[in-house]
Amino acid sequence: MTDEARCEGCGALLQTEDPGKPGYVPEAALERENPVCRRCFRIRHYNEVARVEQDPDTYLRLLQRIGQTDSLVVWVCDLFDFAGSWIPGIQRYLAQSDLVLVANKIDLFPKSVKRNRLREWVRRSAERRGLRPADVVLCSAAKGLHIDEVIATIDRRRQGRDVYVVGTTNVGKSTLINRILREEEADGGEITTSPYPGTTLDVIRIPLEDGRALIDTPGIVRRDRLSEWVSPADLRVIVPRREIHPRVYQLNDSQTLFFGGLVRFDFVSGPRQPFVCYVSNDLYIHRTKRERADEVYSRHRGELLSPPSEFEGLPEMERQTFRLSEGEKKDLVIPGLGWIVAGKKAAEIHMWAPRGIPVEVRPAII
Ligand code: GDP
């Protein structure tokens, strides 16, 4: 391919290496006259939006520009990975914007969890980090739950303005937009891509009936989520797709839990107590004695302790220490994987996760 080949649709430089990046085109499609990138191809032929990623600096410039427009901003986040779906810098650039927060993947939560409680939790979490959304809507794009509420909220809030949709990768933004498109399909109209002024980002414009547009922006990647470090096959194991069945472990001190070979949880000291794990039902949890943990890990990682099925590129595990007091129910959150509820009684805990993946403590969500 010559260096100059560009997509007819969005103008991105064509490349055949990385399907997640702008301008990706499968080798075979290059034979065509006037090739377009896969994303534009899908938009043209299937009216379907696919996700691409962007580098952080370019993305921040885009946020800044959006913040300067008079528009409605819809921020899509993953309810199951709220910390991991926070867009770095969003509070700096969009704090003054009219903002609707759509928290996706509600289907993963046990039915017993009250929606109102979750909604308030999301609102408080956003406010603590410096954003005050006008509305918080919980939905499931994949299951089609509460999509009508998302659409109604956007319609009510936008008051004749454009709508920008932002989010990190993997939160389900494309799934949601495709869902909205399908619901609104009757209105027709042609979806187009266009480069966003002053950036190399291309955005997708979906016309609304009053001449305004719903503008989908590329997702930004957060490297500090475990989900960004594993292979696509492993991703299918760790990203939950069905309602989570919490797994409860009654542990004595000096016991260890391995979450595949990705994360290690040591209950170092404290009275016997339960720890409740909210992770994908498909992720294997292995219990062992703490004194044996190093040996078990070096002997079984990648096999019994899997995912990851391959370790190349995955940073070494690093330890973080947590001390919880009795009755202080807390979630120990591993971005991109899930969380463990602890603190029924006093406990000292060591969490081991790949370097660069910060384990967070928050008041228990459930
Ligand atoms: P994007 O990167 O934000 O555009 O995310 P995608 O739309 O590609 O979705 C990322 C992953 O989340 C995919 O595996 C989807 O199937 C999954 N997903 C999207 N919406 C939902 C949802 O409502 N519930 C669940 N459980 N998974 C979802």
Side-chain angles (χ1 to χ4, degrees), residues 151-165:
I151 295 175
T153 307
I154 294 175
D155 280 346
R156 179 165 51 81
R157 281 278 171 204
R158 75 182 184 85
Q159 294 167 337
R161 295 173 297 173
D162 287 335
V163 182
Y164 287 89
V165 187

Side-chain angles (χ1 to χ4, degrees), residues 51 104-108 139-143 168-176 239-242:
R51 96 180 142 97
N104 187 34
K105 307 198 187 181
I106 191 174
D107 56 298
L108 297 177
C139 74
S140 167
K143 299 278 153 56
T168 55
T169 52
N170 268 323
V171 296
K173 189 159 68 69
S174 315
T175 312
L176 179 68
V239 172
R241 280 165 298 168
R242 282 165 286 121

Side-chain angles (χ1 to χ4, degrees), residues 94-120:
L94 299 183
Q96 306 304 324
S97 299
D98 228 355
L99 191 78
V100 170
L101 172 47
V102 175
N104 187 34
K105 307 198 187 181
I106 191 174
D107 56 298
L108 297 177
F109 280 72
K111 302 256 177 334
S112 55
V113 182
K114 295 271 179 301
R115 270 185 87 212
N116 274 345
R117 200 174 153 200
L118 277 181
R119 187 185 296 113
E120 278 320 298

